[in-house]
């Protein structure tokens, strides 16, 4: 695989993952927050963060 093909495939995958995160958030009435942007930069790591990261409540407990 050539470098340009690899970079194009990676860019397409990251955009697809970001769209998936945004659509999932919309369908489940959740806020996507900054996760679509993180996913554009980091790909599958952003998807994992979207699904597994939980913000702490004001009391400091999850």
């Amino acid at each position: 695989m050539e470098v340009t093909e690899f970079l194009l495939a990676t860019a397409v995958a990251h955009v697809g993952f970001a769209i998936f995160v945004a659509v999932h958030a919309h369908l489940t009435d959740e806020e996507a927050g900054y996760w679509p942007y993180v996913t554009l930069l980091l790909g599958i790591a952003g998807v994992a963060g979207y699904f597994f990261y939980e913000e702490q409540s004001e009391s400091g407990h999850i």
Side-chain angles (χ1 to χ4, degrees), residues 3 5 9 12-13 15 18 23-24 27 29-31 33-34 40-41 43 45-49 52 55-57 59 61:
V3 173
E5 292 173 342
V12 168
V15 169
V23 168
H24 182 273
L27 292 176
D29 291 330
E30 294 182 26
E31 271 194 48
Y34 53 83
L40 275 175
L41 294 174
V47 174
F52 298 114
E55 290 191 34
Q56 290 184 348
S57 66
S59 65
H61 300 291

Side-chain angles (χ1 to χ4, degrees), residues 28-51:
T28 58
D29 291 330
E30 294 182 26
E31 271 194 48
Y34 53 83
W35 288 111
Y37 304 113
V38 173
T39 304
L40 275 175
L41 294 174
L42 302 177
I44 197 73
V47 174
Y50 168 73
F51 280 107

